[in-house]
Amino acid sequence: MTAPRDRNDSPAAVKPAILSVDDDPGVSRAVVRDLRRRYGEKYRIVRAQSGPDALDALREMKLRGQPVAILVADYRMPGMDGIQFLEQAMDLHPYARRVLLTAYADTDAAIDAINVVDLDHYLLKPWDPPEEKLYPVIDAQLEAWLCTEHRPITETKIVGHRWSARSSEVREFLARNQLPYRWYMSDEPEGARLLEAAGTDADHCPVVITAEGEALIEPTDAELATRVGLNTTPSKDFYDLIVIGGGPAGLGAAVYGASEGLRTVLVERTATGGQAGQSSRIENYLGFPDGVSGSQLADRARRQASKFGAEVITTRDVVGLEVRGAARTVRFADGDSLDAHTVIVATGVMYRRHPAPGIDDYTGRGVYYGSAMTEAARCANEDVYIVGGANSAGQAAVYLSRTSRSVTIVVRAPSLENSMSHYLIQQIENIDNITVRSCSEVTTVAGDDHLERITLRNNATDTEETVDAQWLFLFIGAAPGTEWLDGVVVRDERGYVVAGPDLAIDGGRPRGWPLERPPHHLETSVPGVFVAGDVHADSAKRVASAVGEGAMAVMLVHRYLAKP
């Protein structure tokens, strides 16, 4: 399906699109006829007769930067039903409103789709007369779409070396921030032509070419964020609430803080979602019986926070926290600072560095901490090794097994049972190309300009084996990364933040606590500074509990603001 072009042979991207997909030609023509009659003047009405055809059209519109306002999909279509289509379409055009066209007998499926694809409305057939049954629905959806963020998605190009650590970091940065890009290798013809046009060469990669044609030579994350439209600067000097960290706990806090009227800003170093945002499929999160990808969940939460008025700023690294009377001051690595009445620390955890000698030399060149979704396409039909036994490792293994020749999970424990959810263990057992090597660890790595071999040690048999490996993904434990809080709030021996009743000493107030009341449940040893999520000592390390703590922390923020 080809997008129309104007007289200058450029994409006709002025009008937002309303796309209708139905395999019944008669129904399809009728839907499009009624839509064009009412909306054809301001919107481009696109018709498709199958889910794959409609996805092709959506991909083309995405690359050309044409916004899509509404997707109308028939539920009963062969090969790909309407729910399956909408689930894939929402990743291409997340701001489009989603309407399912159903017969009366399919209303249960439509109700289920509300959870699966964030369905905005379901419409019963027949819809005659359209003035009473179709147009009011579409009018309401268009009004909602016009009130939300829906900037056109245009294409960014990255040119770099296949085994360049920084090129990998740039791809990861864009992917985690939900920014589409196209990757070109510097030693291929098209990549070389782009480098020439940018006035540089392969020695100065990566090069990022924005949709506007601006070439960024070896950009920093902050420069990249600014050029691709991410917000990096707070609009105010003082807030009611600063949320540090954009994982599930931070996003939950931002949503509840902003929705309850607090002037809220969320500060994130890299991208919203945290480690959960890198998960290919979260299947035990309440309300999503068919699972949801971490990136989808993070993107929806970010848009939800923005809808309520929370500011989300990225590429700002928090390095300090100070108490200045009633204000709490957050200091950034670039020397700037930001003040607020309250702070919620929701920085989550980071993957621990692997101790094998020289392994850091291959990071981004065959060795990756997380990043399974970003690198999956590049390791298709190859052998992949994953180190780790928790849910993140299991989700990565299931995801990579779809395209990789084989996936080997390397875990030091005798089995996965004590560290991974039961549903994931069952999935792994039923996938033929996944192997679990228990009681094992990676001891050495080797290669020239990238990873080529790893040595595996079996601690149960005291034997070693060297295998060919170009792809090693690491999901080994977690470190809180709270050194910047040293001397400010109480942390346990591993660096996790202690809060609430756990601060009490012999049943009394914590040492140095300045108030007559005891700390609130999620309040740290500094009044007005709260903690939520994985960085909280003895946290559950689950998405749902992190979101819950983020919401609870906001409730306690209100309590603090009412009576410090």
Side-chain angles (χ1 to χ4, degrees), residues 28-46:
S28 179
R29 283 193 294 268
V31 173
V32 169
R33 177 199 65 212
D34 289 339
L35 290 175
R36 281 179 178 155
R37 182 185 304 162
R38 174 90 166 207
Y39 307 104
E41 196 172 299
K42 293 183 179 180
Y43 294 87
R44 176 185 167 216
I45 311 302
V46 180

Side-chain angles (χ1 to χ4, degrees), residues 359-476:
I359 198 167
D360 286 343
D361 295 336
Y362 296 97
T363 301
R365 298 190 292 129
V367 174
Y368 303 93
Y369 289 86
S371 306
M373 293 186 69
T374 306
E375 301 298 331
R378 300 175 63 220
C379 54
N381 301 315
E382 302 208 24
D383 300 318
V384 172
Y385 288 81
I386 293 175
V387 177
N391 278 10
S392 55
Q395 289 161 351
V398 172
Y399 182 74
L400 290 168
S401 69
R402 300 173 185 173
T403 56
S404 299
R405 181 166 53 204
S406 71
V407 177
T408 301
I409 301 175
V410 181
V411 59
R412 288 189 295 179
S415 71
L416 300 172
E417 292 181 0
N418 292 329
S419 58
M420 190 178 292
S421 294
H422 180 64
Y423 81 90
L424 265 178
I425 296 175
Q426 287 184 312
Q427 286 185 20
I428 289 169
E429 289 175 347
N430 292 323
I431 299 175
D432 293 336
N433 63 337
I434 297 182
T435 302
V436 179
R437 293 185 67 145
S438 58
C439 301
S440 299
E441 59 183 316
V442 175
T443 57
T444 61
V445 295
D448 292 328
D449 65 336
H450 65 280
L451 181 70
E452 297 178 89
R453 296 174 300 280
I454 63 174
T455 299
L456 299 168
R457 177 181 177 81
N458 188 313
N459 295 319
T461 61
D462 198 26
T463 57
E464 289 190 344
E465 178 187 3
T466 299
V467 297
D468 293 335
Q470 291 188 329
W471 303 96
L472 179 63
F473 295 90
L474 305 175
F475 301 87
I476 48 172

